[in-house]
Amino acid sequence: MATLNSIKNMYGICSHAIRQTTGLRAAKLIQQRAFRVNGALRQQPFDSSEEKPQFPGASAEFIDHLEFIQPNVISGIPVYRVMDRAGKIINPSEDPQLSKEQVLNFYQKMTLLNTMDRILYESQRQGRISFYMTNYGEEGTHIGSAAALDPRDLVFGQYREAGVLMYRGFPLDLFMAQCYANVDDLGKGRQMPVHYGSKDLNFVTISSPLATQIPQAAGAAYAAKRENTNRAVICYFGEGAASEGDAHAGFNFSATLECPLIFFCRNNGYAISTPTNEQYRGDGIAARGPGYGMMSIRVDGNDVFAVYNATKEARRRAVAENQPFLIEAMTYRIGHHSTSDDSSAYRSVDEVNYWDKQDHPISRLRHYMTARSWWSEEDERSWRKQSRKMVMEAFEKAEKRHKPHPDLMFSDVYEEMTPNLVKQKEAMWRHVQQYKEHYPLDAYAK
Amino acid sequence: NNQDKIKLERAGIALWSLLSKKRSPTTKMNLFQSVTSALDNTLASDPTAVIFGEDVAFGGVFRCTVGLRDKYGKDRVFNTPLCEQGIVGFGIGAAVAGATAIAEIQFADYIYPAFDQIVNEAAKYRYRSGNLFDCGNLTIRAPWGCVGHGSLYHSQSPEAFFAHCPGIKVVIPRGPVQCKGLLLSCIADQNPCIFFEPKILYRAAVEQVPTEAYTIPLSQAEVIQEGSDVTLVAWGTQIHVLREVANMAQEKLGVSCELIDLQTILPWDTETVCKSVAKTGRLLISHEAPITGGFAAEISSTVQEECFLNLEAPIARVCGYDTPFPHIFEPFYIPDKWKCFDAVKKLISF
């Protein structure tokens, strides 16, 4: 019934038509699915004796008066949450009732990420690494969703999902190695900082172009479906990236090709300096889902349990029913877009402070924990000290490591070394040998 | 060393495919049938292989996928929505997840929406991930080249755009036998490949093609006809034009032409071409695509670097004009045999 009302509100169509359509929905679905088996046939039985429209392109009733559908952005799709801003459970039946161990793990992963962010952001300011992007305010979206997945599920990210990798166990040393582009970097020093990847942890390497991962995730999910090993794919992207053509492509393909895929949109209010009211005019990203025939939900991204519950259910059904799910996690980007950005140029300090102080995923979870006496002031103090020490140790170690051998500039372009690259590599070394005082060879592995 | 290893490997593959061609039965096939045959072999032997794109389910607008959906199932040969960036993006993802993904773009003229996915993603997947991930299992196929009436958007030869992109391979066959072997090589190759199929040859080119699978090595140009006076280089349809030109040159000028089919545009076989020009001292390169920035420019530049002192005349390029591909003016636009013959005359008399 709630869904009914929200559809009514969204589209402002008269209730009679809605009731009829919804009532018939289940039956129609079955009808439509039966016809997908023989894709070459018509999409519905052709019967012109009926008054019902016979068009192959839509399943609908006739209407005899002119009425435009009014998009409703004032009261849009509601935001699902489990905890209030003070970390108190609202509806006890929605509490996932995770164990103390699990909840502590959530908290520690979120805070460890936060600590690593602070230190690496600083290190860029000091000229130690070239670039960094923080995850401030969005830790809940990472940890809540990562915890709801199977470790074998393939993750396609955008660039602000380091917490997913952290949750899965990517060591601090390897985060640092990638940011420092040192000899331990799994990516062999080829990409800018925060472009992480891990084959072991099923986290596909990040690339800078936005939204390119969205149709790729659909393809990967299709392949996973054919493998039939109960594997899902999750695809993260921001509300800005959702404007790209690739997003439309990915949504449409995943729905038509019936892929076991979770689309997870982090709607954090800004795409660099562009606020959401300049990014879209509709009701966010979740409202686009139904346009593709996709199951959709909007959640409070700063509520780690809401994120967890939604992702868990989406995953279960995506795999069981071979259809994509769209989760729009509302959150706020507390930090700047990156170290190349100063967000005070386009938003007020007051706005940022509100989210930092009044609605933060980490503090909300902490309140949940302290209310159950799972976490004390002493625990907080000692964990802060310990996590900072862990990060600093990894940091200091990474600083001292060499950069990868320059031969690695030429490998992996193709699976094999091609003749032209062999020649170019030899030419480079001949040149560098002759002009060696102009090249920083000492910093690189021999 | 590496070079010798590659040469030995190629010799071995060439010999093996020659022998296996002799052993295996052949059937008369045109170009689109040779594509179907390659795809059929692939779907039969590789359970992860899937073929997708616009209209492939009913057999494809050029009939390249006829019968495959019925034979192998709707989950393996399927239509996608009308969206090239989606087709290639989807293909990349499927390949990354381990499937052999064969994507069809309906006309090479429509490949540009997928340019970002091809250049920024597919080509760079292995390199940027430090070899943790790759989409080597991806092959993109597209009909290519002039067809008599195709005009701006059904005639293009976009290989030059992709030649500038390290990380992908670009392959163009001249006939059914090459088509099947090269396509199978692309599918087997562990790098993302773009395979352009000369659409004018889909029906027109007919050869005896082995029914079983075989491969023709990539990045290996083929000397189709040996000669001593002029080297002619082309790929795809233009090979047949130059074959005629070679005959005309022999008959009317007594000039002996060496004809080379480049086959793989990227990475291209510089050794075979340079060896030939070192022998003949004269080079003509011909393609339908516009002359400025066309792939002949790359060949010309490399050959003048490697063979400068061997050259008896400036390298000739006979290509399309720097205009969009016209409709009614096609007979004037294309690098026909008369234009190529005239260029050979100029090379000889320089």
Side-chain angles (χ1 to χ4, degrees):
Chain A
M1 246 359 210
T3 337
L4 212 67
N5 286 328
S6 58
I7 295 173
K8 262 194 334 197
N9 288 339
M10 269 205 299
Y11 298 112
I13 297 177
C14 72
S15 53
H16 169 73
I18 289 290
R19 259 196 293 279
Q20 243 192 0
T21 320
T22 334
L24 288 168
R25 203 198 297 139
K28 277 203 202 89
L29 265 168
I30 293 162
Q31 222 180 27
Q32 280 167 1
R33 280 186 189 272
F35 279 96
R36 276 200 202 112
V37 175
N38 298 304
L41 297 185
R42 285 185 172 281
Q43 284 156 300
Q44 55 198 21
F46 192 63
D47 181 358
S48 60
S49 68
E50 274 192 46
E51 263 309 295
K52 210 178 128 39
Q54 297 297 306
F55 304 113
S59 175
E61 301 290 328
F62 280 117
I63 188 173
D64 61 14
H65 54 276
L66 183 66
E67 194 174 296
F68 288 102
I69 296 169
Q70 169 104 9
N72 193 332
V73 298
I74 307 296
S75 49
I77 295 173
V79 184
Y80 169 68
R81 64 175 183 172
V82 174
M83 293 186 278
D84 64 17
R85 291 188 188 96
K88 189 155 164 291
I89 299 288
I90 298 165
N91 181 351
S93 65
E94 297 293 311
D95 184 344
Q97 298 190 320
L98 299 172
S99 69
K100 178 178 169 187
E101 206 187 324
Q102 281 172 301
V103 174
L104 254 61
N105 185 35
F106 282 16
Y107 184 77
Q108 287 174 341
K109 288 290 181 323
M110 288 199 284
T111 48
L112 184 62
L113 175 62
N114 191 272
T115 303
M116 183 181 82
D117 274 353
R118 286 174 201 281
I119 286 165
L120 284 175
Y121 185 90
E122 254 323 291
S123 82
Q124 192 278 342
R125 280 1 231 166
Q126 294 169 13
R128 297 166 190 268
I129 61 175
S130 61
F131 175 80
Y132 194 70
M133 299 177 99
T134 59
N135 302 273
Y136 301 148
E138 301 184 51
E139 298 89 347
T141 61
H142 305 177
I143 270 62
S145 56
L149 299 169
D150 189 279
R152 292 177 314 122
D153 293 340
L154 199 54
V155 174
F156 285 83
Q158 181 171 300
Y159 52 56
R160 220 183 289 279
E161 295 91 14
V164 175
L165 206 44
M166 188 164 272
Y167 184 87
R168 283 191 167 183
F170 200 60
L172 290 170
D173 284 342
L174 291 181
F175 278 110
M176 302 284 169
Q178 199 284 327
C179 289
Y180 275 92
N182 70 29
V183 80
D184 303 319
D185 177 21
L186 298 179
K188 300 179 186 168
R190 291 160 182 161
Q191 290 213 83
M192 283 168 76
V194 312
H195 289 64
Y196 310 114
S198 167
K199 180 118 187 112
D200 293 341
L201 301 178
N202 297 302
F203 189 97
V204 181
T205 304
I206 300 300
S207 72
S208 306
L210 295 184
T212 47
Q213 73 275 16
I214 303 178
Q216 292 173 20
Y222 190 88
K225 177 172 78 166
R226 287 205 70 242
E227 271 177 14
N228 204 13
T229 54
N230 180 28
R231 211 178 171 205
V233 175
I234 190 164
C235 181
Y236 295 89
F237 53 94
E239 87 286 351
S243 293
E244 282 279 1
D246 272 346
H248 162 70
F251 296 158
N252 199 20
F253 274 56
S254 67
T256 53
L257 300 174
E258 300 172 4
C259 303
L261 172 57
I262 304 160
F263 289 115
F264 194 103
C265 177
R266 292 175 296 96
N267 187 331
N268 64 13
Y270 289 90
I272 307 188
S273 71
T274 305
T276 52
N277 67 1
E278 288 172 14
Q279 194 63 248
Y280 54 76
R281 274 311 142 84
D283 177 23
I285 313 312
R288 299 180 196 170
Y292 295 97
M294 192 158 43
M295 300 289 292
S296 315
I297 192 169
R298 172 173 283 153
V299 306
D300 179 346
N302 292 349
D303 175 345
V304 72
F305 294 141
V307 171
Y308 176 84
N309 285 352
T311 309
K312 197 141 183 84
E313 179 64 0
R315 192 222 176 261
R316 186 188 70 78
R317 290 187 62 183
V319 174
E321 300 163 25
N322 284 320
Q323 60 168 322
F325 279 74
L326 172 60
I327 299 174
E328 185 183 17
M330 309 307 294
T331 179
Y332 187 84
R333 194 196 76 208
I334 289 173
H336 307 300
H337 165 71
S338 72
T339 47
S340 307
D341 177 46
D342 176 6
S343 60
S344 67
Y346 51 82
R347 60 183 184 177
S348 72
V349 172
D350 286 342
E351 180 185 304
V352 178
N353 274 336
Y354 167 79
W355 291 96
D356 198 23
K357 303 282 182 292
Q358 313 282 355
D359 190 347
H360 197 294
I362 292 175
S363 33
R364 282 166 79 176
L365 188 64
R366 188 172 58 244
H367 291 137
Y368 175 88
M369 286 156 56
T370 54
R372 280 152 191 74
S373 304
W374 286 354
W375 194 254
S376 68
E377 285 292 326
E378 184 47 45
D379 291 325
E380 179 70 18
R381 260 196 304 276
S382 102
W383 168 245
R384 272 194 207 215
K385 198 159 152 221
Q386 186 195 342
S387 55
R388 196 185 149 77
K389 181 162 177 283
M390 283 161 62
V391 174
M392 286 310 298
E393 274 171 10
F395 172 82
E396 277 151 19
K397 205 170 98 188
E399 277 239 301
K400 297 192 176 80
R401 303 287 281 151
H402 274 116
K403 304 307 178 195
H405 195 284
D407 276 356
L408 292 173
M409 177 167 64
F410 292 101
S411 55
D412 301 327
V413 177
Y414 295 95
E415 189 201 25
E416 69 281 9
M417 273 292 274
T418 50
N420 65 329
L421 287 177
V422 172
K423 274 194 237 164
Q424 288 172 26
K425 184 168 72 166
E426 286 163 4
M428 187 207 74
W429 280 118
R430 275 196 304 273
H431 171 83
V432 167
Q433 276 316 305
Q434 199 185 338
Y435 290 85
K436 60 164 86 74
E437 67 274 18
H438 301 293
Y439 292 90
L441 284 166
D442 288 339
Y444 291 78
K446 301 281 170 286
Chain B
N1 67 23
N2 224 24
Q3 284 271 55
D4 291 337
K5 215 172 100 184
I6 293 174
K7 279 188 212 164
L8 214 62
E9 224 175 67
R10 286 180 179 174
I13 293 169
L15 182 67
W16 186 85
S17 39
L18 184 69
L19 291 175
S20 45
K21 256 187 268 182
K22 288 204 150 113
R23 267 203 305 273
S24 78
T26 65
T27 280
K28 198 167 80 165
M29 292 186 208
N30 62 26
L31 196 87
F32 76 70
Q33 289 166 334
S34 74
V35 171
T36 318
S37 179
L39 298 176
D40 195 340
N41 292 150
T42 301
L43 291 167
S45 63
D46 179 349
T48 74
V50 285
I51 299 169
F52 49 91
E54 293 151 26
D55 304 295
V56 301
F58 88 103
V61 294
F62 289 108
R63 310 191 59 190
C64 293
T65 50
V66 168
L68 298 178
R69 183 178 170 94
D70 284 342
K71 191 167 173 187
Y72 294 101
K74 62 178 181 65
D75 61 320
R76 301 188 69 189
V77 182
F78 52 93
N79 292 337
T80 64
L82 210 167
C83 177
E84 287 76 14
Q85 66 195 104
I87 290 168
V88 174
F90 178 91
I92 292 169
V96 168
T100 295
I102 302 164
E104 178 176 302
I105 297 295
Q106 198 155 85
F107 284 87
D109 313 56
Y110 308 139
I111 200 166
Y112 308 109
F115 201 74
D116 186 40
Q117 286 283 354
I118 293 169
V119 170
N120 267 335
E121 297 288 313
K124 298 169 168 65
Y125 232 90
R126 187 189 295 277
Y127 188 80
R128 74 191 188 197
S129 70
N131 200 25
L132 294 178
F133 298 96
D134 70 84
C135 57
N137 289 334
L138 173 65
T139 303
I140 301 166
R141 300 174 34 247
W144 168 102
C146 78
V147 70
H149 55 279
S151 180
L152 282 79
Y153 303 111
H154 299 81
S155 312
Q156 287 179 44
S157 310
E159 66 273 11
F161 293 108
F162 298 101
H164 192 57
C165 180
I168 51 169
K169 296 195 177 181
V170 180
V171 180
I172 306 174
R174 69 174 183 272
V177 170
Q178 273 62 38
C179 179
K180 178 167 168 171
L182 289 169
L183 179 54
L184 285 170
S185 286
C186 286
I187 292 168
D189 195 278
Q190 285 304 295
N191 300 291
C193 296
I194 302 179
F195 188 75
F196 287 125
E197 300 163 0
K199 65 176 82 66
I200 201 174
L201 300 179
Y202 272 145
R203 286 181 183 277
V206 181
E207 288 174 336
Q208 289 290 124
V209 181
T211 49
E212 280 164 38
Y214 62 95
T215 54
I216 291 175
L218 301 183
S219 295
Q220 195 166 310
E222 188 183 337
V223 179
I224 300 179
Q225 189 177 301
E226 282 187 23
S228 52
D229 302 329
V230 178
T231 301
L232 307 174
V233 175
W235 46 91
T237 320
Q238 200 64 8
I239 285 291
H240 304 291
V241 175
L242 290 186
R243 204 199 296 265
E244 266 202 74
V245 172
N247 293 340
M248 284 160 72
Q250 185 65 69
E251 273 176 43
K252 300 182 198 220
L253 310 168
V255 163
S256 153
C257 293
E258 180 147 291
L259 177 57
I260 299 179
D261 181 359
L262 201 63
Q263 298 193 127
T264 299
I265 308 303
L266 182 76
W268 69 280
D269 183 358
T270 56
E271 206 186 313
T272 300
V273 174
C274 291
K275 187 165 149 216
S276 174
V277 178
K279 179 172 72 171
T280 63
R282 294 174 185 84
L283 175 62
L284 182 151
I285 315 155
S286 184
H287 57 63
E288 290 167 19
I291 188 165
T292 297
F295 198 65
E298 158 64 24
I299 298 173
S300 176
S301 188
T302 299
V303 168
Q304 68 87 27
E305 274 171 13
E306 302 291 318
C307 310
F308 186 73
L309 293 173
N310 303 105
L311 289 170
E312 297 290 342
I315 297 169
R317 297 181 291 158
V318 183
C319 305
Y321 300 116
D322 289 332
T323 71
F325 203 107
H327 180 224
I328 210 66
F329 310 113
E330 181 165 331
F332 298 93
Y333 176 90
I334 53 174
D336 62 25
K337 64 188 178 191
W338 301 111
K339 290 180 187 171
C340 295
F341 177 68
D342 192 65
V344 170
K345 268 206 268 185
K346 291 195 166 76
L347 279 173
I348 291 300
S349 60
F350 185 78

